[in-house]
Each structure stands twice: as C-alpha cells, then as structure tokens.
C-alpha cells in the first residue's frame, strides 16, 4: 500500500471532521463562508505550532523529519484519540523506514505458526465461557467448543481461513446473524485499517482487503473513511440460528508471548436470560471436540 497516500488521506479525513469551534478557534462572522469542511491547513499548522509549508508537506505524505513531538502536536490539533494517534505514528514510521529497512519489510513474511499446544490447552480449560484466538487480520485461528458453537456461522463459513471480516461482508448469513450489522461492519473495517498501519507489508492482509474491496461497495465506502479504533472490550448482540438472540460482553487481550495474536473471552451476566441461552447452547455441544478452523 502507498504510504504517502495513506498519510495524506488519513490526515485529510481527520482535518475535515474537526470544526474550528471544536478546536477552540474563534471564527470572525466577517470571514464569510468556508470552502472546506472542518479545519483549514493553516489552522492545523497554527494549532500544532508548525509552519504552514511544513504541515502541507506532511499532509501530502512527505513525512521526512517528522519527530514524535511534532506528531503529538498534530494529533492534539486534530483531536485524535489514542487509536488514531497510534495509527498516525505507525504510518509515519513505515513511510520513514530506511531503504534497507523497507527492503527487509517487503521480504515475504514468515508464515504464521500454528497456535501453540499450550494455548489450545488453555482454551479447552476455559470450558465455561466462549474463548477464541484471532490475529490482526481477524482470522479465527482457534476456539474452544463453546466459542465454535456461539460463532458457528463464522467458523463454518466456506472460505478459509475463517475470518470475521470476510464473513461479515461476503457471507449472506451475516446480516441475520448480526442484528447490529452496521456496527459490526464498522468495527471490522476500523480494526483492519489499524492493522494496515502496524503491518503495511503483510501480503495476506493486502489480499484480504483487495478481496473485500472488489466484491462490493459496502466495504470500499467504509474503507475510504480511514476510521481506526481499538476494540478491547464491549458488548455484541447475535441472532443465533439455534438459540435465538443473545447479548454478551467481550474482553480482548493481546498475547505477550505470541506477537500479533489476541485472546477474546466472552461473558454474560449470571442468572440472566442470556446466561440461560448460553447454557442451553453449551448443553447441545458438550460432546463436540475443540478443533482448529483450518482442520475443517
């Protein structure tokens, strides 16, 4: 992916969404109608304490010499949240890679190793809650029996590897499975966008984005917004084909010993209707073996 255009489009879309009032700027009523949405370049430069030519060069994708202090100032001027700030740093870091580093980054990435047996054992031990492991591309790499039952439409979708974004955008069962489909779609795109910043030379990631972009406008329109978010915790609603509607919370934890892998644990309030629904689903799947998605 073109690093310069990524920086340009990200900064442009962030600037367009911030009004002068939100940034704390006073606009004279005599100034007339504004020709651009959000802030002007000179206003961002003023707020960040940099020259207009410098900010203009940066917004055009030329990040040479951009220091952490300058990027922090621009992040504050554009009201970036933590995820957006990290994404800006990732984009600039990739763009400023030396020729040797860039060549090394373009080398074929080592194929992701299978999930370690110790992690499989951990998932199996967590029998009372749905738990699974994914990577930054949203590939579902492993899941315990209850997770595979809860997310059966995703795990059993024909394309391999099982992938949350591919299911959401390409599987006709997704809108029925996710009553809040728009929110889930936005979340998947924002997660993939952040992953592109962290791993710009991941061919499998580029291939996935290309596949999703060329098979419909729904993904492409969201991708063009350059939204990035961290979805570490939250709530999700499903319409399960066997047990009906179920709402659960989830917590996402990055595995320190396995870079790029995340453990997601789902839960429901004890004694709630959702807990009864999950217990029913568990009772129907007590004998199902825990399997890797790649083995199906």
């Amino acid at each position: 992916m073109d690093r310069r255009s990524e920086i340009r489009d990200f900064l442009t879309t962030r600037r367009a969404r911030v009004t002068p009032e939100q940034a704390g700027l006073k606009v004279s009523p005599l100034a007339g109608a504004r020709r651009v949405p959000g802030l002007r370049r000179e206003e961002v430069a003023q707020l960040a304490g940099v020259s207009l030519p410098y900010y203009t060069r940066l917004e055009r994708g030329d990040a040479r010499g951009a220091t952490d202090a300058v990027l922090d100032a621009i992040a504050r001027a554009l009201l970036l949240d933590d995820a957006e700030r990290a994404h800006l740093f990732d984009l600039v870091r990739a763009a400023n890679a030396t020729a040797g580093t860039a060549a090394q980054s373009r080398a074929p990435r080592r194929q992701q190793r299978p999930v370690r047996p110790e992690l499989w054992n951990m998932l199996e031990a967590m029998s009372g809650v749905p738990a699974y492991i994914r990577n930054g591309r949203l590939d579902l790499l492993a899941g315990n029996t209850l997770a595979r039952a809860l997310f059966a439409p995703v795990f059993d979708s024909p394309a391999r590897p099982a992938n949350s974004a591919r299911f959401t955008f390409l599987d006709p069962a997704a809108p029925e499975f996710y009553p809040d489909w728009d929110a889930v779609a936005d979340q998947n795109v924002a997660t993939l966008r952040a992953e592109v910043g962290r791993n710009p030379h991941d061919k499998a990631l580029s291939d996935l984005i290309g596949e999703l972009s060329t098979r419909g406008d729904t993904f492409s329109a969201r991708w063009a917004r350059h939204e990035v978010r961290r979805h570490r915790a939250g709530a999700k609603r499903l319409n399960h084909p066997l047990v009906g509607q179920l709402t659960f919370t989830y917590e996402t934890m990055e595995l320190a010993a396995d870079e790029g892998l995340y453990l997601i644990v789902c839960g429901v309030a004890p004694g709630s209707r959702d807990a009864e629904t999950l217990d029913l689903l568990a009772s129907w799947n007590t004998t199902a073996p825990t399997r890797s998605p790649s083995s199906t």
Side-chain angles (χ1 to χ4, degrees), residues 45-180:
Q46 173 190 341
L47 290 165
V50 298
S51 69
L52 176 58
Y54 181 91
Y55 178 74
T56 300
R57 178 166 61 84
L58 178 61
E59 193 177 277
R60 288 174 176 168
D62 185 352
R64 290 175 297 175
T67 65
D68 289 356
V70 167
L71 295 179
D72 270 327
I74 291 172
R76 289 193 297 271
L78 294 175
L79 306 181
L80 303 187
D81 62 23
D82 289 343
E84 291 168 328
R85 177 188 176 278
H87 187 60
L88 176 60
F89 273 72
D90 286 338
L91 293 178
V92 171
R93 188 179 300 113
N96 283 339
T98 63
T101 302
Q104 184 179 9
S105 298
R106 286 192 294 267
R109 290 169 60 92
R110 182 173 57 183
Q111 187 175 8
Q112 185 164 307
R113 292 173 295 178
V115 175
R116 291 185 290 116
E118 294 83 359
L119 295 178
W120 278 107
N121 293 338
M122 176 186 69
L123 290 174
E124 291 176 346
M126 301 171 69
S127 57
V129 295
Y132 65 94
I133 292 172
R134 67 161 175 84
N135 59 20
R137 295 189 300 270
L138 300 179
D139 294 331
L140 306 189
L141 304 176
N144 63 11
T145 298
L146 195 49
R148 293 183 62 85
L150 181 61
F151 298 102
V154 186
F155 277 102
D156 297 338
S157 192
R160 284 292 175 266
N163 179 278
S164 293
R166 186 180 288 112
F167 171 79
T168 299
F169 286 98
L170 302 183
D171 197 306
E176 177 67 20
F177 186 60
Y178 293 127
D180 306 307

Side-chain angles (χ1 to χ4, degrees), residues 163-198:
N163 179 278
S164 293
R166 186 180 288 112
F167 171 79
T168 299
F169 286 98
L170 302 183
D171 197 306
E176 177 67 20
F177 186 60
Y178 293 127
D180 306 307
W181 185 90
D182 282 314
V184 173
D186 288 342
Q187 177 179 336
N188 285 342
V189 172
T191 300
L192 291 178
R193 176 61 79 178
E195 184 66 12
V196 164
R198 287 189 293 266

